[in-house]
Amino acid sequence: MLSVDSLQYKVRKYDVTKCGKLVTNLDDRMFLFNDSNIVMYGDCSFYKSYFGQLRAICESGTWKTIGNCIEYSKPLEVQGVRLVNGSNPAEGRVEMKVFDTWGTVCSDDFGMKEAEVICRLMGYVHAKSVAVKGSYGIGSGPIFIDDLNCEDDASHINDCEYTTYHNCSHEHYVSVICTDCDNVEIHEGRILTYPVMKTVNASLTFSCNEGFALSGADTITCELSGKWSSSPPEYSKKCMNSSLFEFIPY
């Protein structure tokens, strides 16, 4: 971890603020002034395998520093995986959440085996295809993984080989399209489950519109085969409930 406590400061005659020039054991190029020239921001991703932000604030003639640069390395503790900028949740740019921060995966050496692992992590049945070089837009944040290389039996990225010290640019993020269970269409009824998910073990529950009766299962589940556990229910017009009529003897 690169701590801001390790930063050192000194004043010179040509300094641009009343606090003097910020002198640090880190590379000066990672620090930028804001418009007011009283705050300097350091982007930790200037160093590969680090993320975070440092702030140096000029207060009463002295620099006050806040923040830490956090180093990440294999094995990563993945808190979440998502696909972004796609037309549906099963496609898009791959992003992973590590240390409560969303970052990206580099496309170097990324193929269908690696896509299968990503899709499995998200609960999808299989990977359908791989797209590279900004197909779903340019991401932001740390590049957590480069040179990902998985075998057929891998179920998690930590079962694979990869490096966190990347040589990737922001234009080379990887995107995947995963296979899920088919879309469900119903008539004279509605899906009660929200949001509608089509990943493995996801369930959909149905009900019918007023005046219609449901025929078939009212709940179906997406199975490992990529098929729903049964067909969506059908709906038919029903007679009025007999309880609405009262028999009155003569």
Side-chain angles (χ1 to χ4, degrees):
M1 179 180 292
L2 301 176
S3 172
V4 292
D5 295 334
S6 65
L7 302 181
Q8 300 175 1
Y9 314 94
K10 61 184 179 181
V11 178
R12 295 179 181 175
K13 292 181 181 179
Y14 54 83
D15 293 336
V16 294
T17 72
K18 61 182 179 180
C19 288
K21 180 178 175 61
L22 175 65
V23 178
T24 171
N25 59 345
L26 304 176
D27 195 307
D28 290 341
R29 290 174 296 174
M30 69 181 287
F31 288 93
L32 295 173
F33 272 112
N34 73 346
D35 292 338
S36 64
N37 273 359
I38 61 171
V39 180
M40 292 189 75
Y41 290 96
D43 182 1
C44 299
S45 63
F46 179 86
Y47 291 94
K48 296 177 180 180
S49 297
Y50 284 87
F51 76 95
Q53 189 178 78
L54 306 179
R55 279 195 302 157
I57 304 174
C58 181
E59 291 184 351
S60 303
T62 304
W63 287 108
K64 177 182 178 181
T65 58
I66 303 169
N68 288 297
C69 290
I70 300 174
E71 184 178 15
Y72 54 91
S73 60
K74 185 183 181 183
L76 293 174
E77 185 175 341
V78 179
Q79 299 167 296
V81 182
R82 66 185 182 186
L83 304 178
V84 301
N85 280 4
S87 60
N88 62 73
E91 66 174 274
R93 185 178 64 249
V94 178
E95 293 192 350
M96 290 189 176
K97 189 177 184 181
V98 180
F99 291 111
D100 295 322
T101 301
W102 287 102
T104 56
V105 177
C106 186
S107 62
D108 292 347
D109 297 330
F110 196 101
M112 285 302 296
K113 288 183 180 180
E114 292 69 39
E116 285 280 350
V117 174
I118 295 297
C119 291
R120 288 191 201 115
L121 277 173
M122 299 183 65
Y124 289 108
V125 181
H126 292 294
K128 186 182 297 182
S129 64
V130 176
V132 297
K133 295 184 179 179
S135 300
Y136 289 86
I138 296 176
S140 61
I143 301 173
F144 283 127
I145 293 177
D146 193 8
D147 298 328
L148 184 64
N149 187 357
C150 302
E151 298 298 331
D152 291 333
D153 58 349
S155 60
H156 192 281
I157 62 160
N158 288 330
D159 299 330
C160 310
E161 296 298 324
Y162 64 87
T163 181
T164 59
Y165 192 85
H166 65 86
N167 61 352
C168 201
S169 68
H170 289 288
E171 290 78 24
H172 290 80
Y173 297 136
V174 74
S175 302
V176 303
I177 300 176
C178 300
T179 301
D180 54 8
C181 284
D182 293 334
N183 291 329
V184 173
E185 294 185 5
I186 59 173
H187 304 282
E188 305 303 344
R190 59 189 181 277
I191 300 175
L192 299 179
T193 309
Y194 183 83
V196 173
M197 300 296 293
K198 298 180 293 178
T199 54
V200 174
N201 294 326
S203 296
L204 300 179
T205 300
F206 307 91
S207 75
C208 43
N209 294 341
E210 184 177 356
F212 286 82
L214 181 149
S215 175
D218 62 356
T219 298
I220 60 176
T221 302
C222 181
E223 299 181 333
L224 280 170
S225 61
K227 305 291 184 181
W228 292 104
S229 55
S230 64
S231 299
E234 296 180 354
Y235 301 89
S236 58
K237 199 77 172 178
K238 66 179 180 179
C239 296
M240 295 182 66
N241 193 328
S242 60
S243 64
L244 296 177
F245 299 91
E246 181 180 0
F247 178 72
I248 303 175
Y250 290 102

